Amino acid sequence: MKYKRIFTIVIDSLGIGAMEDAAMYGDEGSDTLGHIDEKMESFHIPNLRKLGLANLHPLKHVARIEEPIGLYTRLKEQSAGKDTMSGHWEMMGLRIQKPFQTFSENGFPKELIAELEKRTGRHIIGNKAASGTEILKELGERELKYNELIVYTSADSVLQICGHEEYMGLDTLYEYCRIARELTMEPKWRVGRVIARPYIGKDAHSFQRTSNRHDYALKPFGKTALNVLCEAGYDVIGIGKIRDIFDGEGIREAYTSKSSIEGMDQTIVLAQKDFCGLCFVNLVDFDAKWGHRRDPLGYGKELEAFDCKLGELLQVLKDDDLLMICADHGNDPTFKGSDHTREYVPLLLYAKHFNHTGRLRDGDSFALIGATIVDNFGLTMPKGTIGTSILKEL
């Protein structure tokens, strides 16, 4: 064991430029980080800079650093797709050969909607791709007045159901989502996630979503690096929506987060406790609040806030800790539409006693992350997974 603890933090959607196959996804020219930087009047991310982010991806407002304290590289995705599940599953060794189904163009099929209405006893409204906040403004009052059910999707492979915490109740909303998850296990309707979207408020002007969101995800189709660690007795701690993404598979302990800042606070607290294994963190606000809503300034400010928390984390890391900062896909807030973007992602690595720092060769898959983690603990990746460890280079 080279490192006792590994902290893997996913800045959800922080792409660093279009992959060579981006045109197949309509994403040529996308560059999440680069275009955010261009839109900012100033961009203050000193800790990410120290780790080498501006060396990896030249930026207008952030200068390269001559002596970075970290190692850095970029990774490309082998899986077919550009969503949260394919990105995270690939990190832990699973290559998705067929993209998860999306229904963003025409909504869900009539047959699925009819069955969901029958099982829930409510008339369904919405059934289109939409922003979660905008659809509440449009249909929230009607849902409450007529006891209907808002169902919608996005560019991701998701079916989302809105429910008012007081008038519908969380238990009822969660039950409707379990019904939808059962129905969408059918191959013709299969989506990656069913998401409960609870909200509060009295009218369109006051509606706001709460932190009681719950994801009902597909289980990974095979064992991952997380299963290997768990079965060997190591701690695997998920923060944010990690547990939901893997449907609990390979997770020993999990904490939900109300925001990306809270997720970092939880990570900092955990770093001051004793454990042996992996802390796996997803910071979703970058994607959900700023990427999909096409707000580059909001995204940039969130990165600055993250950088402050990163400085706090660096102060409490121990001599035998390894920090890995990465992303799961792109979501260029200056790009057309509101979809994720097919981009390379960064991998920034830091430990107090690296023998050298600087640029590493590009990784051929996100699975480099899981393979390196498993290798660190003297274990072997499951049969059928992908990924090559770079432990010897750290």
Side-chain angles (χ1 to χ4, degrees):
M1 188 194 309
K2 190 170 185 178
Y3 302 102
K4 180 181 177 182
R5 309 187 305 179
I6 298 178
F7 295 84
T8 301
I9 300 175
V10 182
I11 303 177
D12 199 308
S13 80
L14 187 66
I16 56 170
M19 282 178 48
E20 65 270 20
D21 64 354
M24 294 174 57
Y25 297 81
D27 294 334
E28 60 273 35
S30 58
D31 183 353
T32 300
L33 178 61
H35 290 153
I36 290 167
D37 173 62
E38 289 176 1
K39 293 292 184 179
M40 299 286 284
E41 289 188 11
S42 63
F43 198 17
H44 190 64
I45 49 171
N47 293 298
L48 287 166
R49 177 175 179 259
K50 285 194 299 185
L51 294 178
L53 183 60
N55 294 25
L56 179 63
H57 188 294
L59 299 173
K60 176 181 177 181
H61 293 102
V62 185
R64 291 175 54 90
I65 189 165
E66 290 301 319
E67 296 184 3
I69 63 172
L71 293 162
Y72 47 90
T73 186
R74 67 176 187 173
L75 308 178
K76 69 177 181 180
E77 185 168 11
Q78 284 194 18
S79 294
K82 50 178 180 176
D83 59 31
T84 296
M85 285 179 62
S86 65
H88 283 75
W89 286 14
E90 182 168 312
M91 286 180 207
M92 295 298 120
L94 296 180
R95 181 185 179 190
I96 310 300
Q97 308 242 13
K98 183 178 180 182
F100 297 113
Q101 288 199 58
T102 59
F103 296 91
S104 55
E105 290 189 8
N106 302 306
F108 298 103
K110 293 179 180 179
E111 296 82 2
L112 172 58
I113 294 298
E115 188 61 28
L116 191 54
E117 287 180 331
K118 177 182 176 182
R119 296 279 297 273
T120 62
R122 292 185 185 235
H123 175 62
I124 288 174
I125 55 177
N127 190 25
K128 61 182 179 180
S131 157
T133 52
E134 292 304 315
I135 205 162
L136 282 180
K137 290 179 183 178
E138 178 188 350
L139 297 175
E141 291 182 358
R142 176 176 166 177
E143 179 177 67
L144 299 184
K145 183 177 181 180
Y146 296 108
N147 205 33
E148 294 176 321
L149 191 63
I150 299 173
V151 173
Y152 70 107
T153 187
S154 71
D156 295 340
S157 179
V158 295
L159 184 153
Q160 304 182 81
I161 303 179
C162 297
H164 197 285
E165 289 198 359
E166 296 174 4
Y167 297 102
M168 180 183 293
L170 284 173
D171 289 343
T172 300
L173 174 61
Y174 293 162
E175 177 59 23
Y176 291 163
C177 288
R178 283 190 285 269
I179 291 169
R181 176 71 281 177
E182 179 185 335
L183 293 174
T184 56
M185 292 303 293
E186 289 271 353
K188 59 184 178 181
W189 298 335
R190 186 169 295 171
V191 294
R193 288 174 292 158
V194 172
I195 305 177
R197 290 290 194 177
Y199 65 99
I200 56 174
K202 295 184 178 180
D203 54 39
H205 300 291
S206 62
F207 289 146
Q208 56 182 314
R209 298 194 296 190
T210 76
S211 61
N212 291 317
R213 159 184 171 162
H214 187 68
D215 292 35
Y216 298 80
L218 294 174
K219 285 191 178 296
F221 59 82
K223 287 190 174 184
T224 70
L226 304 180
N227 297 105
V228 171
L229 293 172
C230 262
E231 290 168 6
Y234 291 101
D235 295 308
V236 180
I237 304 167
I239 292 178
K241 62 179 185 177
I242 293 296
R243 190 206 173 281
D244 289 337
I245 292 169
F246 290 89
D247 198 33
E249 290 294 308
I251 308 293
R252 283 189 179 275
E253 190 176 341
Y255 301 92
T256 57
S257 308
K258 295 179 181 178
S259 67
S260 291
I261 294 302
E262 184 184 41
M264 284 300 293
D265 284 334
Q266 291 167 316
T267 306
I268 291 164
V269 169
L270 187 64
Q272 297 172 74
K273 298 180 179 179
D274 186 45
F275 71 92
C276 183
L278 171 66
C279 173
F280 196 6
V281 184
N282 175 273
L283 305 176
V284 72
D285 285 354
F286 298 96
D287 186 50
K289 278 191 171 183
W290 315 118
H292 284 303
R293 298 181 190 178
R294 293 304 186 244
D295 185 347
L297 297 182
Y299 203 130
K301 290 174 182 177
E302 187 85 26
L303 280 169
E304 291 180 329
F306 165 78
D307 193 273
C308 290
K309 290 298 178 181
L310 174 59
E312 294 179 33
L313 178 61
L314 292 173
Q315 292 297 315
V316 298
L317 290 179
K318 299 179 180 178
D319 288 351
D320 53 359
D321 288 340
L322 173 64
L323 173 64
M324 313 174 84
I325 299 175
C326 59
D328 53 345
H329 51 73
N331 196 346
D332 187 339
T334 71
F335 209 61
K336 59 189 177 183
S338 61
D339 195 0
H340 295 155
T341 40
R342 179 80 167 179
E343 297 183 53
Y344 292 101
V345 303
L347 176 61
L348 309 178
L349 303 123
Y350 171 76
K352 289 188 175 182
H353 301 295
F354 277 160
N355 292 323
H356 63 101
T357 59
R359 179 77 184 251
L360 298 172
R361 70 183 188 281
D362 285 1
D364 63 357
S365 77
F366 295 179
L368 174 154
I369 294 168
T372 301
I373 294 168
V374 165
D375 188 19
N376 176 73
F377 293 102
L379 304 171
T380 304
M381 287 290 286
K383 184 178 180 181
T385 55
I386 62 171
T388 303
S389 171
I390 58 168
L391 186 66
K392 292 179 180 179
E393 300 178 49
L394 305 186

